[in-house]
Amino acid sequence: WESLGHWSQGLKVSMQDPKLQVYKDDKVVVIKDKYPKARYHWLVLPWISIASLKIVREEHLELLQHMHTIGEKMLRGCPDAKKLQFRMGYHAIPSMSHIHLHVISQDFDSPCLKNKKHWNSFNTEYFLNSEDVIKMVEKDGKVTVQDGASELLKLPLKCHVCKQLQSTLPQLKEHLKKHME
């Protein structure tokens, strides 16, 4: 068991912080990601402790659906929802313990997006779409993460819009501006 002092437990601390909370109900809380990887980056967290997707079973289905619904609610309230694309999903192997649904705009315009691992965690199959996770649990009663998922973080940098390869993150960020015009 890791103490709350360990950085991987940080979400458990952040989710209790009223300054970070943007929505809460009896099942979930939504916080702004402390290190957002895009202009809009929220995390939807259940109050009950579920360490990872590996533990998710059929009895969590309703909760996953509720998390998705709340993610959609965040988008409806977002002033830029019309002009930005968004995705909702989970990291295959998250660095932080306690499952959390990422609701993230696809501009990836953020100083906190600093390396290939950050980029690939949202732009390869490492990022599991919320709908796909729900379908997996409906069909199989569990979430299957592909073997070698962590290898996906090492893939070459590729633009998520036009699929063009970029050799460095600064080049990729510069390239992304073309798609944002």
Side-chain angles (χ1 to χ4, degrees):
W1 191 82
E2 293 171 324
S3 76
L4 282 177
H6 190 272
W7 66 267
S8 72
Q9 301 294 312
L11 289 177
K12 292 194 176 85
V13 176
S14 295
M15 64 192 278
Q16 305 291 343
D17 183 348
K19 289 193 295 292
L20 293 174
Q21 294 172 350
V22 288
Y23 172 88
K24 64 179 176 178
D25 62 25
D26 58 340
K27 293 189 187 84
V28 300
V29 60
V30 181
I31 60 172
K32 285 182 177 175
D33 193 300
K34 265 184 165 172
Y35 306 101
K37 304 298 185 279
R39 280 182 225 165
Y40 295 94
H41 189 179
W42 297 288
L43 305 177
V44 183
L45 300 116
W47 289 112
I48 63 162
S49 188
I50 302 170
S52 74
L53 287 177
K54 277 188 244 167
I55 297 167
V56 168
R57 293 296 175 262
E58 213 165 324
E59 65 262 24
H60 301 118
L61 188 56
E62 216 172 287
L63 179 61
L64 294 175
Q65 289 163 332
H66 182 69
M67 289 168 72
H68 185 89
T69 300
I70 298 306
E72 287 176 331
K73 180 184 171 79
M74 296 307 298
L75 298 184
R76 283 195 301 275
C78 174
D80 292 331
K82 295 272 185 286
K83 52 172 214 229
L84 292 173
Q85 299 279 313
F86 281 83
R87 280 181 77 194
M88 295 197 291
Y90 300 88
H91 284 148
I93 308 163
S95 55
M96 305 292 272
S97 129
H98 198 93
I99 70 162
H100 49 286
L101 173 66
H102 292 269
V103 180
I104 185 166
S105 57
Q106 297 297 287
D107 52 273
F108 296 104
D109 178 12
S110 168
C112 298
L113 183 74
K114 290 182 173 159
N115 57 48
K116 183 193 267 198
K117 194 171 119 184
H118 289 161
W119 176 260
N120 283 336
S121 72
F122 290 100
N123 291 291
T124 64
E125 286 166 24
Y126 192 88
F127 191 74
L128 307 171
N129 281 321
S130 178
E131 293 98 334
D132 296 340
V133 167
I134 289 168
K135 279 184 198 131
M136 253 187 253
V137 177
E138 282 171 343
K139 186 175 156 281
D140 307 325
K142 66 183 174 61
V143 181
T144 310
V145 171
Q146 68 179 72
D147 285 340
S150 57
E151 291 302 304
L152 297 168
L153 297 175
K154 299 174 187 162
L155 287 171
L157 291 167
K158 190 189 281 185
C159 173
H160 65 307
V161 181
C162 69
K163 307 302 178 212
Q164 192 181 331
L165 289 173
Q166 302 293 324
S167 46
T168 67
L169 196 64
Q171 274 181 319
L172 176 61
K173 284 184 166 191
E174 195 52 43
H175 169 85
L176 290 178
K177 289 178 185 169
K178 287 192 276 203
H179 296 299
M180 293 301 144
E181 287 159 9

